[in-house]
Amino acid sequence: KAGVTQTPRYLIKTRGQQVTLSCSPISGHRSVSWYQQTPGQGLQFLFEYFSETQRNKGNFPGRFSGRQFSNSRSEMNVSTLELGDSALYLCASSLGDRGPGGGYTFGSGTRLTVV
Amino acid sequence: DAKTTQPPSMDCAEGRAANLPCNHSTISGNEYVYWYRQIHSQGPQYIIHGLKNNETNEMASLIITEDRKSSTLILPHATLRDTAVYYCIASSLIQGAQKLVFGQGTRLTINP
């Protein structure tokens, strides 16, 4: 079956701009989580969506937002980009409403570079 | 979620068992131990998880001490493709909601 698909794979933006990243989860998965990975901070949790509702949130400023659609696809938006937002943004999906079995399946990420 | 402590790096010879330790001395009763790995430039990959009992799947075995304060991930016959950063995570699941708190992990290098 198809894995988690993230688009685009690479993105270059200018400071002050905004960006939208997309994530299509595995078919049947209703939970989508977003993570930011940087060399300095490692992997950090941004937020999780389940059935179109944000269910968990990490410690990121309000410039980072997301949403989930009825087909479970999710988008993440970063407004007023800063140089420090340059990172690999990873999306992970899971069934979300059962036990912990199977873990999360991660996509390959979107590498965002802010110049 | 409980903090986990892992050695920053380890080496293992190809074909031998790789044993990766993890300390989680403050783990609570409802927190599972998860292991993920990340091969360079890819997203993390789920390996295995457990609560109290030892677990085994096609990728690895997970040994959890009786007091649950530490665990060991075992890759029984390591190959070069097992070279990756391995993350041990203690995380609870509340009504299906979960966030994974990744530490710095262990960089495992498999040598030919």
Side-chain angles (χ1 to χ4, degrees), chain A residues 22-81:
Chain A
S22 179
C23 172
S24 294
I26 288 174
S27 178
H29 282 193
R30 291 162 54 189
S31 166
V32 173
S33 299
W34 288 89
Y35 290 80
Q36 181 196 65
Q37 186 171 28
T38 60
Q41 299 298 317
L43 275 155
Q44 292 186 287
F45 172 80
L46 280 155
F47 30 65
E48 184 215 2
Y49 286 86
F50 177 77
S51 291
E52 302 178 64
T53 301
Q54 188 180 86
R55 188 163 70 169
N56 250 323
K57 191 176 187 306
N59 298 321
F60 277 81
R63 300 186 296 108
F64 292 81
S65 63
R67 60 177 175 169
Q68 187 179 34
F69 303 95
S70 58
N71 62 357
S72 293
R73 189 177 72 84
S74 176
E75 287 182 349
M76 192 195 103
N77 185 275
V78 188
S79 63
T80 319
L81 283 165

Side-chain angles (χ1 to χ4, degrees), chain B residues 13-87:
Chain B
E14 188 179 18
R16 304 295 295 267
N19 297 285
L20 292 89
C22 178
N23 284 321
H24 31 79
S25 58
T26 61
I27 195 169
S28 62
N30 65 344
E31 286 183 309
Y32 290 78
V33 177
Y34 290 82
W35 284 84
Y36 284 77
R37 72 180 183 184
Q38 186 173 26
I39 296 170
H40 185 61
S41 298
Q42 297 180 21
Q45 177 190 24
Y46 165 82
I47 301 173
I48 199 167
H49 75 279
L51 184 63
K52 296 180 185 177
N53 302 319
N54 299 337
E55 303 288 344
T56 296
N57 62 20
E58 64 278 4
M59 288 183 69
S61 294
L62 174 60
I63 308 298
I64 303 175
T65 58
E66 196 168 335
D67 62 9
R68 302 212 323 125
K69 293 185 177 182
S70 66
S71 61
T72 301
L73 178 75
I74 301 172
L75 308 178
H77 304 287
T79 70
L80 298 178
R81 288 194 287 185
D82 292 322
T83 292
V85 178
Y86 287 76
Y87 296 98

